Amino acid sequence: MGAHMTEHGQEAADKRKTYYVALGAGQILEDREAAPFEYEIRANEEELNKLQELFEELASADEATASHMMSAILVSASDEDMNADYDHQFQKVYQLIYELGTEKTKRHIESIGVVH
């Protein structure tokens, strides 16, 4: 069974395609001309789905932070807690982009110091 999993894992890695990530817009593009992008990655379908899920979680954390700031009534979490959640989600997105990134993408993310 272990050999089969390795074989399948290699097969999935071979099916990687190039995608372009517009982090600010939370978009993953197949066409580099479609919109401005910051990062180029190589991902298979599973990795692409994982990144899309992280973008959705980041958007939810951002919405939660925004709605929390709009309503000071019945606050269940502090601003610091909300910001920490958003920062954590943001860090997870950068980590995955780094892992999937081309050499240029990795160098840029290292240069801005968001991945340890």
Side-chain angles (χ1 to χ4, degrees), residues 52-70 77-93:
Q52 287 173 326
E53 285 174 18
L54 287 176
F55 272 139
E56 289 168 15
E57 290 172 15
L58 184 62
S60 294
D62 189 35
E63 287 171 18
T65 301
S67 68
H68 171 74
M69 290 178 174
M70 299 281 285
S78 71
D79 287 343
E80 286 181 16
D81 290 342
M82 299 297 276
N83 289 336
D85 185 46
Y86 180 79
D87 289 346
H88 178 70
Q89 293 299 334
F90 202 70
Q91 184 70 34
K92 285 169 60 176
V93 168

Tab-separated table of all heavy atoms in Angstrom, residues 52-70 77-93:
chain	number	residue	atom	x	y	z
A	52	GLN	N	-7.378	27.671	-2.333
A	52	GLN	CA	-8.680	28.338	-2.448
A	52	GLN	C	-9.422	28.319	-1.109
A	52	GLN	O	-10.045	29.307	-0.718
A	52	GLN	CB	-9.526	27.680	-3.547
A	52	GLN	CG	-9.019	28.030	-4.928
A	52	GLN	CD	-9.714	27.264	-6.047
A	52	GLN	OE1	-10.093	26.106	-5.887
A	52	GLN	NE2	-9.856	27.911	-7.187
A	53	GLU	N	-9.330	27.193	-0.391
A	53	GLU	CA	-9.954	27.106	0.936
A	53	GLU	C	-9.327	28.118	1.898
A	53	GLU	O	-10.024	28.758	2.688
A	53	GLU	CB	-9.797	25.696	1.512
A	53	GLU	CG	-10.723	24.679	0.879
A	53	GLU	CD	-10.441	23.260	1.384
A	53	GLU	OE1	-9.797	23.096	2.443
A	53	GLU	OE2	-10.864	22.315	0.696
A	54	LEU	N	-7.997	28.256	1.830
A	54	LEU	CA	-7.321	29.216	2.709
A	54	LEU	C	-7.753	30.648	2.380
A	54	LEU	O	-7.933	31.468	3.286
A	54	LEU	CB	-5.798	29.076	2.593
A	54	LEU	CG	-5.191	27.843	3.246
A	54	LEU	CD1	-3.694	27.773	2.981
A	54	LEU	CD2	-5.470	27.812	4.739
A	55	PHE	N	-7.929	30.943	1.091
A	55	PHE	CA	-8.425	32.273	0.710
A	55	PHE	C	-9.820	32.514	1.280
A	55	PHE	O	-10.130	33.605	1.741
A	55	PHE	CB	-8.465	32.432	-0.813
A	55	PHE	CG	-7.172	32.940	-1.409
A	55	PHE	CD1	-6.695	32.414	-2.593
A	55	PHE	CD2	-6.456	33.959	-0.810
A	55	PHE	CE1	-5.523	32.890	-3.157
A	55	PHE	CE2	-5.277	34.439	-1.363
A	55	PHE	CZ	-4.809	33.904	-2.540
A	56	GLU	N	-10.667	31.476	1.245
A	56	GLU	CA	-12.024	31.612	1.799
A	56	GLU	C	-11.972	31.838	3.307
A	56	GLU	O	-12.708	32.677	3.847
A	56	GLU	CB	-12.859	30.373	1.467
A	56	GLU	CG	-13.238	30.288	-0.007
A	56	GLU	CD	-13.808	28.939	-0.411
A	56	GLU	OE1	-14.182	28.146	0.477
A	56	GLU	OE2	-13.870	28.680	-1.627
A	57	GLU	N	-11.090	31.109	3.996
A	57	GLU	CA	-10.947	31.289	5.446
A	57	GLU	C	-10.418	32.683	5.766
A	57	GLU	O	-10.848	33.318	6.735
A	57	GLU	CB	-9.995	30.232	6.022
A	57	GLU	CG	-10.584	28.836	6.018
A	57	GLU	CD	-9.569	27.765	6.401
A	57	GLU	OE1	-8.486	28.112	6.947
A	57	GLU	OE2	-9.843	26.583	6.150
A	58	LEU	N	-9.495	33.165	4.934
A	58	LEU	CA	-8.945	34.503	5.130
A	58	LEU	C	-10.037	35.551	4.940
A	58	LEU	O	-10.144	36.494	5.723
A	58	LEU	CB	-7.795	34.739	4.144
A	58	LEU	CG	-7.040	36.055	4.282
A	58	LEU	CD1	-6.356	36.150	5.645
A	58	LEU	CD2	-6.019	36.199	3.174
A	59	ALA	N	-10.867	35.374	3.916
A	59	ALA	CA	-11.973	36.314	3.672
A	59	ALA	C	-12.950	36.295	4.849
A	59	ALA	O	-13.434	37.343	5.281
A	59	ALA	CB	-12.689	35.959	2.374
A	60	SER	N	-13.229	35.111	5.393
A	60	SER	CA	-14.130	35.003	6.550
A	60	SER	C	-13.541	35.703	7.769
A	60	SER	O	-14.245	36.406	8.493
A	60	SER	CB	-14.396	33.537	6.891
A	60	SER	OG	-15.123	32.924	5.861
A	61	ALA	N	-12.249	35.508	7.989
A	61	ALA	CA	-11.588	36.152	9.128
A	61	ALA	C	-11.600	37.661	8.942
A	61	ALA	O	-11.811	38.422	9.899
A	61	ALA	CB	-10.152	35.641	9.268
A	62	ASP	N	-11.413	38.122	7.703
A	62	ASP	CA	-11.431	39.550	7.403
A	62	ASP	C	-12.821	40.125	7.643
A	62	ASP	O	-12.977	41.191	8.238
A	62	ASP	CB	-10.996	39.774	5.955
A	62	ASP	CG	-10.776	41.247	5.631
A	62	ASP	OD1	-10.306	41.987	6.517
A	62	ASP	OD2	-11.081	41.648	4.495
A	63	GLU	N	-13.852	39.405	7.197
A	63	GLU	CA	-15.237	39.847	7.409
A	63	GLU	C	-15.576	39.895	8.898
A	63	GLU	O	-16.230	40.820	9.373
A	63	GLU	CB	-16.218	38.931	6.678
A	63	GLU	CG	-16.212	39.120	5.175
A	63	GLU	CD	-17.015	38.063	4.448
A	63	GLU	OE1	-17.848	37.385	5.086
A	63	GLU	OE2	-16.815	37.906	3.239
A	64	ALA	N	-15.109	38.871	9.617
A	64	ALA	CA	-15.378	38.828	11.060
A	64	ALA	C	-14.714	40.018	11.752
A	64	ALA	O	-15.308	40.654	12.625
A	64	ALA	CB	-14.873	37.511	11.650
A	65	THR	N	-13.485	40.322	11.347
A	65	THR	CA	-12.778	41.458	11.926
A	65	THR	C	-13.508	42.758	11.595
A	65	THR	O	-13.713	43.605	12.463
A	65	THR	CB	-11.325	41.524	11.398
A	65	THR	OG1	-10.669	40.304	11.735
A	65	THR	CG2	-10.560	42.679	12.003
A	66	ALA	N	-13.928	42.905	10.344
A	66	ALA	CA	-14.624	44.124	9.913
A	66	ALA	C	-15.955	44.282	10.652
A	66	ALA	O	-16.270	45.367	11.145
A	66	ALA	CB	-14.852	44.100	8.404
A	67	SER	N	-16.736	43.197	10.748
A	67	SER	CA	-18.033	43.317	11.414
A	67	SER	C	-17.843	43.550	12.912
A	67	SER	O	-18.633	44.248	13.540
A	67	SER	CB	-18.907	42.085	11.158
A	67	SER	OG	-18.375	40.953	11.788
A	68	HIS	N	-16.786	42.979	13.456
A	68	HIS	CA	-16.491	43.200	14.875
A	68	HIS	C	-16.179	44.675	15.130
A	68	HIS	O	-16.637	45.261	16.101
A	68	HIS	CB	-15.311	42.333	15.306
A	68	HIS	CG	-14.812	42.651	16.681
A	68	HIS	ND1	-15.498	42.295	17.814
A	68	HIS	CD2	-13.723	43.325	17.101
A	68	HIS	CE1	-14.830	42.720	18.872
A	68	HIS	NE2	-13.751	43.351	18.460
A	69	MET	N	-15.426	45.271	14.229
A	69	MET	CA	-15.058	46.671	14.406
A	69	MET	C	-16.266	47.583	14.202
A	69	MET	O	-16.335	48.659	14.775
A	69	MET	CB	-13.938	47.044	13.436
A	69	MET	CG	-12.624	46.392	13.803
A	69	MET	SD	-11.363	46.803	12.615
A	69	MET	CE	-9.927	46.063	13.385
A	70	MET	N	-17.213	47.163	13.371
A	70	MET	CA	-18.407	47.956	13.110
A	70	MET	C	-19.360	47.933	14.307
A	70	MET	O	-20.104	48.857	14.531
A	70	MET	CB	-19.150	47.418	11.883
A	70	MET	CG	-18.341	47.470	10.615
A	70	MET	SD	-18.300	49.090	9.900
A	70	MET	CE	-19.928	49.180	9.216
A	77	ALA	N	-15.287	38.818	21.435
A	77	ALA	CA	-13.836	38.675	21.347
A	77	ALA	C	-13.218	40.058	21.235
A	77	ALA	O	-13.829	40.976	20.713
A	77	ALA	CB	-13.463	37.842	20.126
A	78	SER	N	-12.004	40.181	21.721
A	78	SER	CA	-11.338	41.477	21.669
A	78	SER	C	-10.806	41.737	20.265
A	78	SER	O	-10.677	40.822	19.455
A	78	SER	CB	-10.176	41.498	22.662
A	78	SER	OG	-9.136	40.669	22.190
A	79	ASP	N	-10.472	42.980	19.986
A	79	ASP	CA	-9.864	43.337	18.701
A	79	ASP	C	-8.591	42.532	18.477
A	79	ASP	O	-8.318	42.084	17.370
A	79	ASP	CB	-9.521	44.831	18.664
A	79	ASP	CG	-10.762	45.704	18.528
A	79	ASP	OD1	-11.817	45.176	18.150
A	79	ASP	OD2	-10.653	46.909	18.804
A	80	GLU	N	-7.826	42.344	19.548
A	80	GLU	CA	-6.570	41.611	19.427
A	80	GLU	C	-6.817	40.174	18.992
A	80	GLU	O	-6.098	39.639	18.152
A	80	GLU	CB	-5.801	41.639	20.751
A	80	GLU	CG	-5.163	42.977	21.026
A	80	GLU	CD	-4.390	43.001	22.332
A	80	GLU	OE1	-4.090	41.917	22.877
A	80	GLU	OE2	-4.099	44.100	22.806
A	81	ASP	N	-7.833	39.525	19.562
A	81	ASP	CA	-8.157	38.148	19.178
A	81	ASP	C	-8.559	38.082	17.710
A	81	ASP	O	-8.143	37.187	16.979
A	81	ASP	CB	-9.301	37.591	20.030
A	81	ASP	CG	-8.893	37.345	21.477
A	81	ASP	OD1	-7.670	37.268	21.739
A	81	ASP	OD2	-9.785	37.237	22.325
A	82	MET	N	-9.388	39.021	17.273
A	82	MET	CA	-9.851	39.024	15.891
A	82	MET	C	-8.684	39.254	14.940
A	82	MET	O	-8.562	38.594	13.921
A	82	MET	CB	-10.916	40.115	15.683
A	82	MET	CG	-12.152	39.932	16.544
A	82	MET	SD	-13.048	38.416	16.192
A	82	MET	CE	-14.027	38.968	14.818
A	83	ASN	N	-7.817	40.201	15.289
A	83	ASN	CA	-6.659	40.482	14.450
A	83	ASN	C	-5.703	39.302	14.424
A	83	ASN	O	-5.116	38.994	13.384
A	83	ASN	CB	-5.930	41.746	14.922
A	83	ASN	CG	-6.722	43.000	14.630
A	83	ASN	OD1	-7.553	43.026	13.727
A	83	ASN	ND2	-6.479	44.043	15.401
A	84	ALA	N	-5.539	38.620	15.548
A	84	ALA	CA	-4.652	37.460	15.616
A	84	ALA	C	-5.166	36.346	14.711
A	84	ALA	O	-4.386	35.676	14.040
A	84	ALA	CB	-4.532	36.968	17.056
A	85	ASP	N	-6.483	36.156	14.672
A	85	ASP	CA	-7.066	35.132	13.801
A	85	ASP	C	-6.797	35.467	12.342
A	85	ASP	O	-6.389	34.616	11.563
A	85	ASP	CB	-8.573	35.019	14.062
A	85	ASP	CG	-9.215	33.889	13.270
A	85	ASP	OD1	-8.643	32.779	13.248
A	85	ASP	OD2	-10.281	34.113	12.655
A	86	TYR	N	-7.022	36.711	11.970
A	86	TYR	CA	-6.768	37.144	10.587
A	86	TYR	C	-5.286	36.970	10.243
A	86	TYR	O	-4.940	36.442	9.188
A	86	TYR	CB	-7.196	38.600	10.404
A	86	TYR	CG	-6.948	39.100	9.008
A	86	TYR	CD1	-7.818	38.769	7.969
A	86	TYR	CD2	-5.841	39.889	8.712
A	86	TYR	CE1	-7.587	39.203	6.679
A	86	TYR	CE2	-5.614	40.330	7.424
A	86	TYR	CZ	-6.484	39.991	6.412
A	86	TYR	OH	-6.253	40.425	5.129
A	87	ASP	N	-4.407	37.402	11.154
A	87	ASP	CA	-2.968	37.278	10.912
A	87	ASP	C	-2.556	35.824	10.746
A	87	ASP	O	-1.717	35.498	9.902
A	87	ASP	CB	-2.165	37.905	12.058
A	87	ASP	CG	-2.260	39.425	12.068
A	87	ASP	OD1	-2.718	40.000	11.054
A	87	ASP	OD2	-1.896	40.029	13.092
A	88	HIS	N	-3.149	34.942	11.549
A	88	HIS	CA	-2.848	33.511	11.459
A	88	HIS	C	-3.275	32.963	10.092
A	88	HIS	O	-2.531	32.214	9.456
A	88	HIS	CB	-3.556	32.769	12.595
A	88	HIS	CG	-3.344	31.293	12.564
A	88	HIS	ND1	-2.130	30.706	12.851
A	88	HIS	CD2	-4.188	30.274	12.235
A	88	HIS	CE1	-2.240	29.385	12.716
A	88	HIS	NE2	-3.464	29.111	12.339
A	89	GLN	N	-4.470	33.328	9.641
A	89	GLN	CA	-4.954	32.872	8.330
A	89	GLN	C	-4.053	33.421	7.220
A	89	GLN	O	-3.735	32.711	6.260
A	89	GLN	CB	-6.405	33.306	8.092
A	89	GLN	CG	-7.415	32.641	9.003
A	89	GLN	CD	-7.440	31.132	8.858
A	89	GLN	OE1	-7.101	30.582	7.827
A	89	GLN	NE2	-7.818	30.452	9.909
A	90	PHE	N	-3.663	34.670	7.333
A	90	PHE	CA	-2.797	35.307	6.344
A	90	PHE	C	-1.463	34.571	6.269
A	90	PHE	O	-0.931	34.312	5.186
A	90	PHE	CB	-2.599	36.778	6.731
A	90	PHE	CG	-2.191	37.653	5.594
A	90	PHE	CD1	-3.086	37.953	4.574
A	90	PHE	CD2	-0.922	38.203	5.541
A	90	PHE	CE1	-2.721	38.780	3.523
A	90	PHE	CE2	-0.546	39.021	4.495
A	90	PHE	CZ	-1.444	39.313	3.480
A	91	GLN	N	-0.926	34.214	7.426
A	91	GLN	CA	0.353	33.482	7.501
A	91	GLN	C	0.231	32.124	6.805
A	91	GLN	O	1.134	31.699	6.094
A	91	GLN	CB	0.762	33.295	8.965
A	91	GLN	CG	2.112	32.635	9.156
A	91	GLN	CD	3.266	33.530	8.758
A	91	GLN	OE1	3.207	34.746	8.916
A	91	GLN	NE2	4.312	32.953	8.235
A	92	LYS	N	-0.918	31.438	7.012
A	92	LYS	CA	-1.130	30.133	6.372
A	92	LYS	C	-1.169	30.272	4.848
A	92	LYS	O	-0.629	29.430	4.136
A	92	LYS	CB	-2.425	29.496	6.882
A	92	LYS	CG	-2.287	28.929	8.288
A	92	LYS	CD	-3.606	28.532	8.917
A	92	LYS	CE	-4.376	27.495	8.197
A	92	LYS	NZ	-5.606	27.087	8.909
A	93	VAL	N	-1.794	31.340	4.352
A	93	VAL	CA	-1.850	31.579	2.907
A	93	VAL	C	-0.432	31.789	2.363
A	93	VAL	O	-0.037	31.168	1.375
A	93	VAL	CB	-2.750	32.795	2.572
A	93	VAL	CG1	-2.566	33.222	1.124
A	93	VAL	CG2	-4.212	32.461	2.848
